[in-house]
Amino acid sequence: MNEHNPLRRLTEHALFWPAVVLVLLLALNLVVNPGFFRVEVRDGRLYGSLIDILNRASPLIIVSLGMCVVIATRGVDISVGAVVAISAAVAAYLVSGESTFVNGQSVYVPKVPLLVAFAVAIAISVLCGLWNGVLVAGVGMQPIIATLILMVAGRGIAQLITNGQIITVYYKPFHFIGNGYIAGLPFALYLAAALFIVMAALKTRTALGLFIQAGGINPAAARLSGINARGILIAVYGFCGATAGLAGLIISSNVKSADANNAGLMLELDAILAVVLGGTSLAGGRFSLRGTVIGALIIQTLTTTIYSMGVPPEINLVVKALVVFAVCVIQSDFSHQLAQSALGRLLSRNTGRRATT
């Protein structure tokens, strides 16, 4: 088979199969709901299933991008869901205040200014990530064990902050980050897009992406070549904590409260799945930011599909697992070899027919 065949190059592209799966899921939604692609403008905002998927996928995209660079270093961070809960609890606790009367009108006054609350929540999330990084790079723990500690303790810390209660936030500016719109699109989507653009620029315009990949492929060789692999590893975990903290702000703002038990629950597994579905190997080394975004969109679209098809809640996780399993099988080397073999036979048959005629 011709090595320069365009069809073969297309099917061998790392993003081909994730994109095919996403398109198939969108097509299935169109079959189930003929108005799936309809987008309307209401009160200056865009409404529709596609906008809803993008809005709800934004926190997962943000967390998955942080998880992607951790996995690129051969690591994994299973504490991001707990960090989401901590960030949400800190922000909600600091923003929650009390209503007072000013000139005869009720005014809600937070404990601290909103930006200070957000900055403190993100800073604590970064510290959580750095803690993981120190355990992995400094102490030498296995990443899954190091982050398991914070995964277990994180929700307890969040419950201590909220005193075991769900903190409801009535301060309206707090609601904007998860419910606000700019130019008709959700504000959370801008945050996800901005993070992706910055990370893509750092990966392609600086040597940081190469350093991360070099540390993931062979940490010892990276150190011998002068790369501060240990410092990069700690920074990567700190960055992952920051993305989890930002997602925590969006999630808590979206529901206008902080629930230490449920905020970010199982989000770490969805983030890992998004990275893997996007074509990044758990063995470390090369990573794909675009694939990670597509993987997150696949998961959110799949969730929307399950709900729109009326699948009972007790089996929707089973359906989700089966679809993810099928996607992983499709992306396996074995499936690629079968597809290339079938494509090769088809092209050879067509070439033979043309030669005969």
Side-chain angles (χ1 to χ4, degrees):
M1 184 168 52
N2 188 359
E3 296 290 337
H4 302 288
N5 186 282
L7 188 56
R8 179 176 180 177
R9 290 206 305 270
L10 178 63
T11 57
E12 288 182 345
H13 195 282
L15 300 181
F16 176 77
W17 292 110
V20 168
V21 172
L22 180 59
V23 170
L24 290 176
L25 282 175
L26 292 174
L28 177 60
N29 275 282
L30 182 62
V31 173
V32 175
N33 178 17
F36 180 74
F37 287 102
R38 185 182 304 140
V39 177
E40 301 175 351
V41 179
R42 299 178 187 172
D43 301 327
R45 301 177 180 179
L46 295 176
Y47 281 89
S49 298
L50 291 178
I51 303 300
D52 187 55
I53 288 175
L54 292 173
N55 188 22
R56 295 185 181 280
S58 295
L60 179 58
I61 291 174
I62 291 172
V63 175
S64 300
L65 288 173
M67 183 71 76
C68 180
V69 290
V70 169
I71 290 178
T73 63
R74 291 188 181 184
V76 67
D77 187 348
I78 59 174
S79 69
V80 290
V83 176
V84 165
I86 293 174
S87 173
V90 171
Y93 174 77
L94 293 177
V95 173
S96 63
E98 58 184 10
S99 297
T100 61
F101 287 91
V102 178
N103 297 327
Q105 294 184 346
S106 177
V107 177
Y108 190 84
V109 180
K111 291 178 181 176
V112 301
L114 185 63
L115 293 180
V116 174
F118 283 174
V120 172
I122 294 293
I124 291 177
S125 301
V126 172
L127 288 176
C128 292
L130 292 176
W131 162 261
N132 289 330
V134 169
L135 291 182
V136 174
V139 181
M141 286 186 179
Q142 291 292 326
I144 193 169
I145 301 300
T147 55
L148 177 63
I149 297 171
L150 186 58
M151 177 188 179
V152 174
R155 294 202 177 272
I157 295 172
Q159 288 181 349
L160 288 175
I161 296 172
T162 61
N163 199 24
Q165 305 295 321
I166 297 176
I167 299 179
T168 302
V169 180
Y170 300 98
Y171 189 51
K172 290 185 178 179
F174 178 78
H175 305 161
F176 182 80
I177 189 172
N179 299 285
Y181 280 73
I182 294 179
L185 291 173
F187 179 67
L189 184 59
Y190 288 98
L191 293 177
L195 180 65
F196 172 78
I197 292 172
V198 170
M199 291 182 66
L202 290 174
K203 180 185 177 184
T204 57
R205 302 295 178 86
T206 71
L208 184 59
L210 290 176
F211 291 167
I212 293 174
Q213 292 180 102
I217 295 172
N218 192 328
R223 283 194 297 271
L224 291 174
S225 62
I227 297 175
N228 185 3
R230 184 169 297 174
I232 290 176
L233 193 57
I234 295 175
V236 162
Y237 277 91
F239 175 75
C240 186
T243 58
L246 179 58
L249 296 181
I250 296 173
I251 292 172
S252 61
S253 170
N254 187 259
V255 297
K256 304 175 184 177
S257 64
D259 183 353
N261 288 322
N262 296 306
L265 192 63
M266 306 289 283
L267 189 61
E268 58 274 2
L269 300 183
D270 280 348
I272 294 171
L273 278 176
V275 175
V276 174
L277 290 176
T280 298
S281 170
L282 290 174
R286 299 178 60 183
F287 63 100
S288 172
L289 299 177
R290 290 180 296 175
T292 298
V293 173
I294 294 176
L297 291 176
I298 288 175
I299 291 176
Q300 185 56 50
T301 305
L302 176 59
T303 303
T304 301
T305 305
I306 291 172
Y307 286 131
S308 63
M309 293 179 68
V311 176
E314 59 269 21
I315 63 171
N316 61 9
L317 290 179
V318 177
V319 175
K320 190 174 181 180
L322 290 175
V323 174
V324 170
F325 169 75
V327 174
C328 291
V329 170
I330 290 174
Q331 294 186 88
S332 67
D333 292 338
F334 177 73
S335 298
H336 288 182
Q337 291 172 2
L338 283 180
Q340 290 172 9
S341 176
L343 180 61
R345 288 196 298 271
L346 178 63
L347 292 175
S348 300
R349 187 179 305 169
N350 291 337
T351 303
R353 287 178 179 173
R354 285 197 298 268
T356 303
T357 57

